[in-house]
Amino acid sequence: AQKVTQAQTEISVVEKEDVTLDCVYETRDTTYYLFWYKQPPSGELVFLIRRNSFDEQNEISGRYSWNFQKSTSSFNFTITASQVVDSAVYFCALSVPNAGNMLTFGGGTRLMVKP
Amino acid sequence: KAGVTQTPRYLIKTRGQQVTLSCSPISGHRSVSWYQQTPGQGLQFLFEYFSETQRNKGNFPGRFSGRQFSNSRSEMNVSTLELGDSALYLCASSLRTSITGELFFGEGSRLTVL
C-alpha cells in the first residue's frame, strides 16, 4: 500500500518569504510517480508537477522548485519569494503503475501568505 | 477549451436519501476519476472509468457506485446517505487511464447530509 505524509498542516508566511512544503512517501514499488497539486478556494485541484521514480533531477519552474530525494523518500516543494496568490492548500500525491489514475494523496498543507 | 464541469455544485440531502452527481470531462478525455474530500479523511480515490468500464475502485462501500456514458460523461451515485458522506466530491478527467497523463479536476460537488 502507498502512503503520503505532509507533516505541516498549516504554514503562514509574509509575502516575499521563501517557504518549503514537505512531503514524505512510502511505497514498495520501484516504479512510481509523484505529484504536487494546488487547491485554491474555488476547490479544483491544479496540477503543478509530476516526477517519476527514475528521475531524481530537481526541477525549477519560475518561483517554484522541487527537490526529489529517493534516499529519504521525500519530494519537497519550495516557493521562492512567496506572493499572496500562492495562498492555497497544496497536496503531494503518489501513484504506481497498473493503478490507472488512482492517486494517493497526503493530508495537504494550507499555505497562507500575508501581505 | 472547456474544463471539467461538475453538477450540481452544492446540494443538501437528508440521511437515507440517495444522490447522483454528474461530471462532464474535457472534450476528448476518456478517463474520469472520482475522489471524495473530507476534513477527517482527506482526499480519497473512489473509482475510475475509462471507455464506459470501471478500471479501478477505492475502498468504499457498495453504496457508492458510478457509471460512464458513451460520450465519456460520468455519474456517481450514493445510496442510503449517511452523515459521514458529507464531503466535496471531485471529478478528474484525463486522456488515458495511465497515470503518466495529467489529471484535470473540476471544482467539485459539495454534498451536505443532514
Side-chain angles (χ1 to χ4, degrees):
Chain A
Q2 283 62 243
K3 184 177 180 181
V4 177
T5 302
Q6 295 179 254
Q8 306 148 308
T9 55
E10 199 166 293
I11 299 176
S12 181
V13 299
V14 176
E15 207 170 19
K16 297 185 182 178
E17 283 186 19
D18 298 347
V19 58
T20 295
L21 310 181
D22 298 331
C23 172
V24 175
Y25 62 91
E26 295 176 33
T27 180
R28 293 182 179 178
D29 290 76
T30 55
T31 300
Y32 51 88
Y33 304 90
L34 296 165
F35 302 78
W36 277 94
Y37 279 86
K38 173 182 180 180
Q39 186 176 41
S42 53
E44 82 278 19
L45 290 167
V46 178
F47 170 85
L48 295 178
I49 189 171
R50 182 191 72 241
R51 305 296 298 200
N52 70 52
S53 53
F54 299 108
D55 185 0
E56 284 193 76
Q57 274 192 334
N58 292 331
E59 181 153 339
I60 298 175
S61 177
R63 297 184 297 107
Y64 295 171
S65 63
W66 291 269
N67 183 285
F68 176 28
Q69 290 193 333
K70 287 179 74 171
S71 61
T72 55
S73 298
S74 65
F75 186 43
N76 297 336
F77 172 32
T78 297
I79 301 175
T80 303
S82 59
Q83 299 176 1
V84 173
V85 293
D86 295 327
S87 297
V89 182
Y90 291 86
F91 290 94
C92 180
L94 169 75
S95 184
V96 296
N98 302 318
N101 283 317
M102 181 173 72
L103 295 173
T104 299
F105 283 92
T109 298
R110 181 178 298 277
L111 174 65
M112 293 178 291
V113 182
K114 300 177 182 177
Chain B
K1 185 176 184 181
V4 177
T5 303
Q6 292 188 244
T7 57
R9 290 291 314 280
Y10 303 91
L11 65 166
I12 300 174
K13 294 285 188 178
T14 57
R15 280 183 300 175
Q17 287 187 312
Q18 74 164 7
V19 66
T20 299
L21 309 178
S22 178
C23 172
S24 292
I26 292 173
S27 177
H29 285 193
R30 295 167 62 193
S31 167
V32 173
S33 304
W34 289 89
Y35 288 82
Q36 181 197 62
Q37 185 175 20
T38 61
Q41 300 299 317
L43 275 159
Q44 294 185 289
F45 173 79
L46 280 157
F47 28 63
E48 178 192 2
Y49 286 87
F50 183 81
S51 295
E52 301 178 65
T53 302
Q54 187 179 91
R55 293 303 178 106
N56 292 287
K57 191 177 192 306
N59 189 25
F60 279 83
R63 300 185 297 106
F64 291 81
S65 62
R67 59 178 175 169
Q68 186 179 35
F69 302 96
S70 57
N71 62 357
S72 293
R73 189 178 70 87
S74 177
E75 289 181 347
M76 66 163 283
N77 184 78
V78 188
S79 62
T80 319
L81 284 166
E82 300 176 359
L83 296 178
D85 297 332
S86 295
L88 179 67
Y89 290 89
L90 291 164
C91 166
S93 80
S94 177
L95 277 170
R96 296 175 293 274
T97 186
S98 73
I99 200 56
T100 54
E102 177 183 339
L103 292 184
F104 294 84
F105 283 82
E107 293 183 322
S109 293
R110 185 167 295 281
L111 170 65
T112 301
V113 181
L114 302 175

mmCIF file of all heavy atoms in Angstrom, chain B residues 39-86:
data_model
loop_
_atom_site.group_PDB
_atom_site.id
_atom_site.type_symbol
_atom_site.label_atom_id
_atom_site.label_comp_id
_atom_site.label_asym_id
_atom_site.label_seq_id
_atom_site.Cartn_x
_atom_site.Cartn_y
_atom_site.Cartn_z
ATOM 1 N N PRO B 39 -12.701 16.679 5.692
ATOM 2 C CA PRO B 39 -11.692 17.192 6.628
ATOM 3 C C PRO B 39 -10.988 16.072 7.397
ATOM 4 O O PRO B 39 -9.801 16.167 7.681
ATOM 5 C CB PRO B 39 -12.508 18.080 7.576
ATOM 6 C CG PRO B 39 -13.699 18.477 6.780
ATOM 7 C CD PRO B 39 -14.013 17.282 5.922
ATOM 8 N N GLY B 40 -11.704 15.013 7.694
ATOM 9 C CA GLY B 40 -11.121 13.941 8.502
ATOM 10 C C GLY B 40 -10.278 12.954 7.714
ATOM 11 O O GLY B 40 -9.202 12.557 8.147
ATOM 12 N N GLN B 41 -10.738 12.555 6.554
ATOM 13 C CA GLN B 41 -10.067 11.523 5.753
ATOM 14 C C GLN B 41 -9.254 12.080 4.596
ATOM 15 O O GLN B 41 -8.509 11.354 3.951
ATOM 16 C CB GLN B 41 -11.087 10.522 5.215
ATOM 17 C CG GLN B 41 -11.858 9.795 6.295
ATOM 18 C CD GLN B 41 -10.948 8.978 7.186
ATOM 19 O OE1 GLN B 41 -10.038 8.301 6.721
ATOM 20 N NE2 GLN B 41 -11.160 9.064 8.492
ATOM 21 N N GLY B 42 -9.397 13.366 4.330
ATOM 22 C CA GLY B 42 -8.639 13.958 3.236
ATOM 23 C C GLY B 42 -9.200 13.547 1.890
ATOM 24 O O GLY B 42 -10.383 13.288 1.743
ATOM 25 N N LEU B 43 -8.306 13.472 0.907
ATOM 26 C CA LEU B 43 -8.695 13.116 -0.462
ATOM 27 C C LEU B 43 -8.553 11.619 -0.641
ATOM 28 O O LEU B 43 -7.467 11.065 -0.484
ATOM 29 C CB LEU B 43 -7.791 13.828 -1.465
ATOM 30 C CG LEU B 43 -8.170 15.242 -1.851
ATOM 31 C CD1 LEU B 43 -6.963 15.983 -2.406
ATOM 32 C CD2 LEU B 43 -9.297 15.213 -2.890
ATOM 33 N N GLN B 44 -9.655 10.972 -1.008
ATOM 34 C CA GLN B 44 -9.629 9.528 -1.197
ATOM 35 C C GLN B 44 -10.215 9.162 -2.554
ATOM 36 O O GLN B 44 -11.252 9.695 -2.963
ATOM 37 C CB GLN B 44 -10.421 8.831 -0.092
ATOM 38 C CG GLN B 44 -9.791 8.974 1.292
ATOM 39 C CD GLN B 44 -10.547 8.165 2.317
ATOM 40 O OE1 GLN B 44 -11.667 8.497 2.688
ATOM 41 N NE2 GLN B 44 -9.948 7.090 2.777
ATOM 42 N N PHE B 45 -9.572 8.234 -3.212
ATOM 43 C CA PHE B 45 -9.997 7.759 -4.523
ATOM 44 C C PHE B 45 -11.240 6.894 -4.398
ATOM 45 O O PHE B 45 -11.291 5.969 -3.582
ATOM 46 C CB PHE B 45 -8.847 6.973 -5.139
ATOM 47 C CG PHE B 45 -9.175 6.282 -6.429
ATOM 48 C CD1 PHE B 45 -9.202 6.982 -7.624
ATOM 49 C CD2 PHE B 45 -9.449 4.924 -6.452
ATOM 50 C CE1 PHE B 45 -9.493 6.353 -8.815
ATOM 51 C CE2 PHE B 45 -9.726 4.278 -7.640
ATOM 52 C CZ PHE B 45 -9.750 5.002 -8.823
ATOM 53 N N LEU B 46 -12.226 7.210 -5.232
ATOM 54 C CA LEU B 46 -13.454 6.415 -5.249
ATOM 55 C C LEU B 46 -13.406 5.372 -6.354
ATOM 56 O O LEU B 46 -13.475 4.185 -6.106
ATOM 57 C CB LEU B 46 -14.666 7.326 -5.448
ATOM 58 C CG LEU B 46 -15.157 8.057 -4.202
ATOM 59 C CD1 LEU B 46 -15.938 9.305 -4.592
ATOM 60 C CD2 LEU B 46 -16.021 7.139 -3.362
ATOM 61 N N PHE B 47 -13.365 5.821 -7.584
ATOM 62 C CA PHE B 47 -13.270 4.908 -8.735
ATOM 63 C C PHE B 47 -12.874 5.674 -9.978
ATOM 64 O O PHE B 47 -12.887 6.904 -10.015
ATOM 65 C CB PHE B 47 -14.575 4.140 -8.984
ATOM 66 C CG PHE B 47 -15.839 4.817 -8.561
ATOM 67 C CD1 PHE B 47 -16.249 6.007 -9.135
ATOM 68 C CD2 PHE B 47 -16.637 4.267 -7.565
ATOM 69 C CE1 PHE B 47 -17.411 6.625 -8.739
ATOM 70 C CE2 PHE B 47 -17.802 4.876 -7.162
ATOM 71 C CZ PHE B 47 -18.196 6.058 -7.752
ATOM 72 N N GLU B 48 -12.507 4.884 -11.002
ATOM 73 C CA GLU B 48 -12.129 5.439 -12.297
ATOM 74 C C GLU B 48 -12.866 4.682 -13.398
ATOM 75 O O GLU B 48 -12.995 3.456 -13.338
ATOM 76 C CB GLU B 48 -10.622 5.325 -12.532
ATOM 77 C CG GLU B 48 -10.200 5.862 -13.905
ATOM 78 C CD GLU B 48 -8.784 5.515 -14.282
ATOM 79 O OE1 GLU B 48 -8.095 4.829 -13.512
ATOM 80 O OE2 GLU B 48 -8.348 5.934 -15.377
ATOM 81 N N TYR B 49 -13.322 5.441 -14.377
ATOM 82 C CA TYR B 49 -13.959 4.848 -15.539
ATOM 83 C C TYR B 49 -13.190 5.247 -16.790
ATOM 84 O O TYR B 49 -12.713 6.380 -16.912
ATOM 85 C CB TYR B 49 -15.412 5.317 -15.655
ATOM 86 C CG TYR B 49 -16.291 4.670 -14.631
ATOM 87 C CD1 TYR B 49 -16.435 5.229 -13.363
ATOM 88 C CD2 TYR B 49 -16.956 3.478 -14.907
ATOM 89 C CE1 TYR B 49 -17.219 4.621 -12.404
ATOM 90 C CE2 TYR B 49 -17.740 2.866 -13.954
ATOM 91 C CZ TYR B 49 -17.865 3.441 -12.701
ATOM 92 O OH TYR B 49 -18.630 2.825 -11.749
ATOM 93 N N PHE B 50 -13.086 4.301 -17.685
ATOM 94 C CA PHE B 50 -12.431 4.538 -18.972
ATOM 95 C C PHE B 50 -13.204 3.773 -20.028
ATOM 96 O O PHE B 50 -13.408 2.562 -19.883
ATOM 97 C CB PHE B 50 -10.976 4.089 -18.939
ATOM 98 C CG PHE B 50 -10.221 4.368 -20.202
ATOM 99 C CD1 PHE B 50 -9.701 5.625 -20.442
ATOM 100 C CD2 PHE B 50 -10.035 3.373 -21.154
ATOM 101 C CE1 PHE B 50 -8.997 5.905 -21.602
ATOM 102 C CE2 PHE B 50 -9.337 3.638 -22.320
ATOM 103 C CZ PHE B 50 -8.809 4.909 -22.540
ATOM 104 N N SER B 51 -13.626 4.479 -21.046
ATOM 105 C CA SER B 51 -14.420 3.850 -22.108
ATOM 106 C C SER B 51 -15.566 3.024 -21.540
ATOM 107 O O SER B 51 -15.755 1.856 -21.901
ATOM 108 C CB SER B 51 -13.520 2.962 -22.994
ATOM 109 O OG SER B 51 -12.575 3.747 -23.669
ATOM 110 N N GLU B 52 -16.294 3.619 -20.633
ATOM 111 C CA GLU B 52 -17.520 3.066 -20.047
ATOM 112 C C GLU B 52 -17.281 1.877 -19.121
ATOM 113 O O GLU B 52 -18.250 1.234 -18.682
ATOM 114 C CB GLU B 52 -18.515 2.677 -21.151
ATOM 115 C CG GLU B 52 -18.903 3.847 -22.049
ATOM 116 C CD GLU B 52 -19.855 3.423 -23.160
ATOM 117 O OE1 GLU B 52 -20.981 3.018 -22.852
ATOM 118 O OE2 GLU B 52 -19.456 3.511 -24.344
ATOM 119 N N THR B 53 -16.038 1.581 -18.810
ATOM 120 C CA THR B 53 -15.719 0.448 -17.944
ATOM 121 C C THR B 53 -15.029 0.940 -16.677
ATOM 122 O O THR B 53 -14.144 1.797 -16.737
ATOM 123 C CB THR B 53 -14.786 -0.549 -18.665
ATOM 124 O OG1 THR B 53 -15.421 -0.997 -19.853
ATOM 125 C CG2 THR B 53 -14.462 -1.743 -17.778
ATOM 126 N N GLN B 54 -15.424 0.376 -15.547
ATOM 127 C CA GLN B 54 -14.751 0.735 -14.309
ATOM 128 C C GLN B 54 -13.377 0.073 -14.290
ATOM 129 O O GLN B 54 -13.259 -1.150 -14.376
ATOM 130 C CB GLN B 54 -15.563 0.289 -13.089
ATOM 131 C CG GLN B 54 -14.984 0.783 -11.766
ATOM 132 C CD GLN B 54 -15.810 0.346 -10.566
ATOM 133 O OE1 GLN B 54 -15.574 -0.695 -9.974
ATOM 134 N NE2 GLN B 54 -16.798 1.157 -10.211
ATOM 135 N N ARG B 55 -12.342 0.860 -14.142
ATOM 136 C CA ARG B 55 -10.983 0.327 -14.214
ATOM 137 C C ARG B 55 -10.363 0.111 -12.837
ATOM 138 O O ARG B 55 -9.545 -0.773 -12.645
ATOM 139 C CB ARG B 55 -10.089 1.285 -15.019
ATOM 140 C CG ARG B 55 -10.463 1.379 -16.470
ATOM 141 C CD ARG B 55 -10.445 0.015 -17.145
ATOM 142 N NE ARG B 55 -10.838 0.042 -18.530
ATOM 143 C CZ ARG B 55 -9.985 -0.084 -19.546
ATOM 144 N NH1 ARG B 55 -8.707 -0.212 -19.313
ATOM 145 N NH2 ARG B 55 -10.439 -0.063 -20.780
ATOM 146 N N ASN B 56 -10.700 0.974 -11.918
ATOM 147 C CA ASN B 56 -10.159 0.862 -10.565
ATOM 148 C C ASN B 56 -11.218 1.308 -9.575
ATOM 149 O O ASN B 56 -12.073 2.135 -9.905
ATOM 150 C CB ASN B 56 -8.916 1.748 -10.391
ATOM 151 C CG ASN B 56 -7.748 1.266 -11.206
ATOM 152 O OD1 ASN B 56 -7.118 0.270 -10.893
ATOM 153 N ND2 ASN B 56 -7.468 1.971 -12.290
ATOM 154 N N LYS B 57 -11.131 0.767 -8.372
ATOM 155 C CA LYS B 57 -12.098 1.130 -7.347
ATOM 156 C C LYS B 57 -11.371 1.289 -6.021
ATOM 157 O O LYS B 57 -10.509 0.480 -5.666
ATOM 158 C CB LYS B 57 -13.171 0.059 -7.218
ATOM 159 C CG LYS B 57 -14.359 0.467 -6.356
ATOM 160 C CD LYS B 57 -15.418 -0.632 -6.341
ATOM 161 C CE LYS B 57 -16.730 -0.155 -5.729
ATOM 162 N NZ LYS B 57 -16.585 0.426 -4.396
ATOM 163 N N GLY B 58 -11.733 2.324 -5.300
ATOM 164 C CA GLY B 58 -11.154 2.557 -3.983
ATOM 165 C C GLY B 58 -11.894 1.774 -2.920
ATOM 166 O O GLY B 58 -12.804 0.994 -3.211
ATOM 167 N N ASN B 59 -11.509 1.996 -1.685
ATOM 168 C CA ASN B 59 -12.057 1.241 -0.570
ATOM 169 C C ASN B 59 -13.295 1.936 0.000
ATOM 170 O O ASN B 59 -13.258 2.506 1.084
ATOM 171 C CB ASN B 59 -10.973 1.074 0.505
ATOM 172 C CG ASN B 59 -11.405 0.129 1.594
ATOM 173 O OD1 ASN B 59 -12.250 -0.736 1.369
ATOM 174 N ND2 ASN B 59 -10.835 0.290 2.767
ATOM 175 N N PHE B 60 -14.365 1.883 -0.733
ATOM 176 C CA PHE B 60 -15.623 2.479 -0.310
ATOM 177 C C PHE B 60 -16.710 1.415 -0.355
ATOM 178 O O PHE B 60 -16.637 0.475 -1.144
ATOM 179 C CB PHE B 60 -15.996 3.652 -1.226
ATOM 180 C CG PHE B 60 -15.291 4.931 -0.881
ATOM 181 C CD1 PHE B 60 -14.005 5.174 -1.332
ATOM 182 C CD2 PHE B 60 -15.906 5.890 -0.089
ATOM 183 C CE1 PHE B 60 -13.345 6.339 -1.008
ATOM 184 C CE2 PHE B 60 -15.254 7.065 0.240
ATOM 185 C CZ PHE B 60 -13.962 7.293 -0.209
ATOM 186 N N PRO B 61 -17.750 1.575 0.485
ATOM 187 C CA PRO B 61 -18.823 0.568 0.481
ATOM 188 C C PRO B 61 -19.608 0.585 -0.818
ATOM 189 O O PRO B 61 -19.527 1.526 -1.612
ATOM 190 C CB PRO B 61 -19.696 0.991 1.671
ATOM 191 C CG PRO B 61 -19.362 2.418 1.918
ATOM 192 C CD PRO B 61 -17.937 2.606 1.516
ATOM 193 N N GLY B 62 -20.385 -0.458 -1.012
ATOM 194 C CA GLY B 62 -21.150 -0.609 -2.234
ATOM 195 C C GLY B 62 -22.207 0.458 -2.441
ATOM 196 O O GLY B 62 -22.770 0.570 -3.536
ATOM 197 N N ARG B 63 -22.472 1.277 -1.413
ATOM 198 C CA ARG B 63 -23.436 2.375 -1.571
ATOM 199 C C ARG B 63 -22.934 3.403 -2.593
ATOM 200 O O ARG B 63 -23.712 4.193 -3.112
ATOM 201 C CB ARG B 63 -23.660 3.089 -0.233
ATOM 202 C CG ARG B 63 -24.200 2.233 0.872
ATOM 203 C CD ARG B 63 -24.509 3.055 2.118
ATOM 204 N NE ARG B 63 -23.347 3.686 2.700
ATOM 205 C CZ ARG B 63 -23.067 5.000 2.633
ATOM 206 N NH1 ARG B 63 -23.904 5.808 1.998
ATOM 207 N NH2 ARG B 63 -21.985 5.482 3.225
ATOM 208 N N PHE B 64 -21.657 3.387 -2.818
ATOM 209 C CA PHE B 64 -21.047 4.300 -3.781
ATOM 210 C C PHE B 64 -20.900 3.568 -5.116
ATOM 211 O O PHE B 64 -20.247 2.520 -5.185
ATOM 212 C CB PHE B 64 -19.674 4.759 -3.289
ATOM 213 C CG PHE B 64 -19.718 5.656 -2.086
ATOM 214 C CD1 PHE B 64 -19.862 5.120 -0.809
ATOM 215 C CD2 PHE B 64 -19.624 7.028 -2.224
ATOM 216 C CE1 PHE B 64 -19.908 5.944 0.303
ATOM 217 C CE2 PHE B 64 -19.666 7.855 -1.115
ATOM 218 C CZ PHE B 64 -19.812 7.311 0.153
ATOM 219 N N SER B 65 -21.486 4.116 -6.134
ATOM 220 C CA SER B 65 -21.403 3.491 -7.447
ATOM 221 C C SER B 65 -21.266 4.569 -8.502
ATOM 222 O O SER B 65 -21.479 5.752 -8.240
ATOM 223 C CB SER B 65 -22.634 2.636 -7.719
ATOM 224 O OG SER B 65 -23.795 3.442 -7.735
ATOM 225 N N GLY B 66 -20.915 4.139 -9.681
ATOM 226 C CA GLY B 66 -20.774 5.100 -10.757
ATOM 227 C C GLY B 66 -21.000 4.450 -12.095
ATOM 228 O O GLY B 66 -21.217 3.235 -12.200
ATOM 229 N N ARG B 67 -20.994 5.289 -13.105
ATOM 230 C CA ARG B 67 -21.069 4.773 -14.464
ATOM 231 C C ARG B 67 -20.544 5.845 -15.403
ATOM 232 O O ARG B 67 -20.429 7.020 -15.040
ATOM 233 C CB ARG B 67 -22.490 4.398 -14.835
ATOM 234 C CG ARG B 67 -23.513 5.520 -14.749
ATOM 235 C CD ARG B 67 -24.872 5.021 -15.193
ATOM 236 N NE ARG B 67 -25.912 6.031 -15.009
ATOM 237 C CZ ARG B 67 -27.142 5.908 -15.517
ATOM 238 N NH1 ARG B 67 -27.463 4.842 -16.222
ATOM 239 N NH2 ARG B 67 -28.037 6.854 -15.311
ATOM 240 N N GLN B 68 -20.246 5.397 -16.599
ATOM 241 C CA GLN B 68 -19.769 6.331 -17.620
ATOM 242 C C GLN B 68 -20.542 6.061 -18.905
ATOM 243 O O GLN B 68 -20.793 4.906 -19.269
ATOM 244 C CB GLN B 68 -18.270 6.171 -17.862
ATOM 245 C CG GLN B 68 -17.693 7.221 -18.809
ATOM 246 C CD GLN B 68 -16.205 7.067 -19.030
ATOM 247 O OE1 GLN B 68 -15.678 5.948 -19.056
ATOM 248 N NE2 GLN B 68 -15.488 8.171 -19.200
ATOM 249 N N PHE B 69 -20.891 7.126 -19.572
ATOM 250 C CA PHE B 69 -21.667 7.021 -20.792
ATOM 251 C C PHE B 69 -20.758 7.056 -22.019
ATOM 252 O O PHE B 69 -19.567 7.355 -21.916
ATOM 253 C CB PHE B 69 -22.697 8.162 -20.832
ATOM 254 C CG PHE B 69 -23.627 8.158 -19.654
ATOM 255 C CD1 PHE B 69 -23.360 8.958 -18.547
ATOM 256 C CD2 PHE B 69 -24.751 7.348 -19.625
ATOM 257 C CE1 PHE B 69 -24.193 8.955 -17.437
ATOM 258 C CE2 PHE B 69 -25.592 7.336 -18.523
ATOM 259 C CZ PHE B 69 -25.315 8.135 -17.437
ATOM 260 N N SER B 70 -21.362 6.783 -23.171
ATOM 261 C CA SER B 70 -20.559 6.691 -24.394
ATOM 262 C C SER B 70 -19.903 8.019 -24.755
ATOM 263 O O SER B 70 -18.896 8.060 -25.464
ATOM 264 C CB SER B 70 -21.424 6.189 -25.553
ATOM 265 O OG SER B 70 -22.529 7.037 -25.741
ATOM 266 N N ASN B 71 -20.444 9.122 -24.256
ATOM 267 C CA ASN B 71 -19.829 10.435 -24.541
ATOM 268 C C ASN B 71 -18.812 10.815 -23.468
ATOM 269 O O ASN B 71 -18.379 11.961 -23.396
ATOM 270 C CB ASN B 71 -20.902 11.519 -24.644
ATOM 271 C CG ASN B 71 -21.688 11.702 -23.359
ATOM 272 O OD1 ASN B 71 -21.467 10.980 -22.381
ATOM 273 N ND2 ASN B 71 -22.608 12.651 -23.349
ATOM 274 N N SER B 72 -18.449 9.857 -22.626
ATOM 275 C CA SER B 72 -17.463 9.984 -21.542
ATOM 276 C C SER B 72 -17.978 10.705 -20.307
ATOM 277 O O SER B 72 -17.286 10.728 -19.291
ATOM 278 C CB SER B 72 -16.162 10.660 -22.010
ATOM 279 O OG SER B 72 -15.493 9.839 -22.929
ATOM 280 N N ARG B 73 -19.153 11.284 -20.370
ATOM 281 C CA ARG B 73 -19.727 11.862 -19.157
ATOM 282 C C ARG B 73 -19.920 10.767 -18.124
ATOM 283 O O ARG B 73 -20.180 9.613 -18.443
ATOM 284 C CB ARG B 73 -21.059 12.538 -19.466
ATOM 285 C CG ARG B 73 -21.630 13.359 -18.317
ATOM 286 C CD ARG B 73 -22.937 14.038 -18.725
ATOM 287 N NE ARG B 73 -24.034 13.096 -18.892
ATOM 288 C CZ ARG B 73 -24.816 12.696 -17.906
ATOM 289 N NH1 ARG B 73 -24.607 13.111 -16.665
ATOM 290 N NH2 ARG B 73 -25.807 11.843 -18.167
ATOM 291 N N SER B 74 -19.765 11.166 -16.868
ATOM 292 C CA SER B 74 -19.852 10.165 -15.804
ATOM 293 C C SER B 74 -20.795 10.641 -14.714
ATOM 294 O O SER B 74 -20.970 11.855 -14.503
ATOM 295 C CB SER B 74 -18.463 9.896 -15.210
ATOM 296 O OG SER B 74 -18.517 8.989 -14.128
ATOM 297 N N GLU B 75 -21.407 9.701 -14.072
ATOM 298 C CA GLU B 75 -22.225 9.980 -12.899
ATOM 299 C C GLU B 75 -21.768 9.090 -11.758
ATOM 300 O O GLU B 75 -21.321 7.959 -11.978
ATOM 301 C CB GLU B 75 -23.705 9.694 -13.181
ATOM 302 C CG GLU B 75 -24.373 10.663 -14.115
ATOM 303 C CD GLU B 75 -25.844 10.331 -14.326
ATOM 304 O OE1 GLU B 75 -26.279 9.220 -13.954
ATOM 305 O OE2 GLU B 75 -26.553 11.183 -14.897
ATOM 306 N N MET B 76 -21.885 9.630 -10.553
ATOM 307 C CA MET B 76 -21.688 8.771 -9.397
ATOM 308 C C MET B 76 -22.941 8.875 -8.521
ATOM 309 O O MET B 76 -23.603 9.919 -8.477
ATOM 310 C CB MET B 76 -20.441 9.117 -8.595
ATOM 311 C CG MET B 76 -20.431 10.439 -7.892
ATOM 312 S SD MET B 76 -19.148 10.500 -6.604
ATOM 313 C CE MET B 76 -19.914 9.531 -5.303
ATOM 314 N N ASN B 77 -23.261 7.792 -7.896
ATOM 315 C CA ASN B 77 -24.456 7.711 -7.076
ATOM 316 C C ASN B 77 -24.081 7.231 -5.672
ATOM 317 O O ASN B 77 -23.239 6.343 -5.514
ATOM 318 C CB ASN B 77 -25.453 6.737 -7.712
ATOM 319 C CG ASN B 77 -26.760 6.677 -6.949
ATOM 320 O OD1 ASN B 77 -27.593 7.558 -7.083
ATOM 321 N ND2 ASN B 77 -26.938 5.650 -6.145
ATOM 322 N N VAL B 78 -24.699 7.853 -4.702
ATOM 323 C CA VAL B 78 -24.535 7.380 -3.324
ATOM 324 C C VAL B 78 -25.932 7.086 -2.792
ATOM 325 O O VAL B 78 -26.800 7.977 -2.781
ATOM 326 C CB VAL B 78 -23.840 8.408 -2.418
ATOM 327 C CG1 VAL B 78 -23.533 7.786 -1.056
ATOM 328 C CG2 VAL B 78 -22.556 8.923 -3.055
ATOM 329 N N SER B 79 -26.160 5.870 -2.396
ATOM 330 C CA SER B 79 -27.478 5.496 -1.876
ATOM 331 C C SER B 79 -27.447 5.478 -0.352
ATOM 332 O O SER B 79 -26.376 5.415 0.269
ATOM 333 C CB SER B 79 -27.877 4.129 -2.419
ATOM 334 O OG SER B 79 -26.950 3.142 -1.970
ATOM 335 N N THR B 80 -28.611 5.531 0.245
ATOM 336 C CA THR B 80 -28.759 5.466 1.705
ATOM 337 C C THR B 80 -27.720 6.356 2.395
ATOM 338 O O THR B 80 -26.833 5.895 3.122
ATOM 339 C CB THR B 80 -28.618 4.013 2.205
ATOM 340 O OG1 THR B 80 -29.280 3.114 1.325
ATOM 341 C CG2 THR B 80 -29.238 3.891 3.588
ATOM 342 N N LEU B 81 -27.838 7.629 2.124
ATOM 343 C CA LEU B 81 -26.840 8.585 2.609
ATOM 344 C C LEU B 81 -26.686 8.547 4.129
ATOM 345 O O LEU B 81 -27.663 8.392 4.878
ATOM 346 C CB LEU B 81 -27.222 10.000 2.177
ATOM 347 C CG LEU B 81 -26.962 10.327 0.702
ATOM 348 C CD1 LEU B 81 -27.680 11.604 0.309
ATOM 349 C CD2 LEU B 81 -25.464 10.441 0.446
ATOM 350 N N GLU B 82 -25.428 8.707 4.535
ATOM 351 C CA GLU B 82 -25.084 8.810 5.950
ATOM 352 C C GLU B 82 -24.451 10.175 6.197
ATOM 353 O O GLU B 82 -23.957 10.820 5.259
ATOM 354 C CB GLU B 82 -24.097 7.691 6.329
ATOM 355 C CG GLU B 82 -24.634 6.304 6.097
ATOM 356 C CD GLU B 82 -23.609 5.220 6.398
ATOM 357 O OE1 GLU B 82 -22.463 5.564 6.775
ATOM 358 O OE2 GLU B 82 -23.940 4.025 6.243
ATOM 359 N N LEU B 83 -24.461 10.601 7.463
ATOM 360 C CA LEU B 83 -23.882 11.895 7.787
ATOM 361 C C LEU B 83 -22.430 11.992 7.322
ATOM 362 O O LEU B 83 -21.984 13.041 6.849
ATOM 363 C CB LEU B 83 -23.957 12.154 9.297
ATOM 364 C CG LEU B 83 -25.351 12.274 9.904
ATOM 365 C CD1 LEU B 83 -25.250 12.489 11.408
ATOM 366 C CD2 LEU B 83 -26.135 13.405 9.251
ATOM 367 N N GLY B 84 -21.706 10.895 7.418
ATOM 368 C CA GLY B 84 -20.303 10.866 7.043
ATOM 369 C C GLY B 84 -20.042 10.994 5.555
ATOM 370 O O GLY B 84 -18.897 11.134 5.135
ATOM 371 N N ASP B 85 -21.102 10.976 4.776
ATOM 372 C CA ASP B 85 -20.940 11.138 3.324
ATOM 373 C C ASP B 85 -20.844 12.607 2.944
ATOM 374 O O ASP B 85 -20.583 12.932 1.770
ATOM 375 C CB ASP B 85 -22.118 10.496 2.574
ATOM 376 C CG ASP B 85 -22.199 9.001 2.800
ATOM 377 O OD1 ASP B 85 -21.141 8.380 3.053
ATOM 378 O OD2 ASP B 85 -23.312 8.454 2.717
ATOM 379 N N SER B 86 -21.050 13.491 3.903
ATOM 380 C CA SER B 86 -20.888 14.918 3.640
ATOM 381 C C SER B 86 -19.451 15.175 3.217
ATOM 382 O O SER B 86 -18.510 14.836 3.945
ATOM 383 C CB SER B 86 -21.215 15.742 4.883
ATOM 384 O OG SER B 86 -22.564 15.626 5.233
#
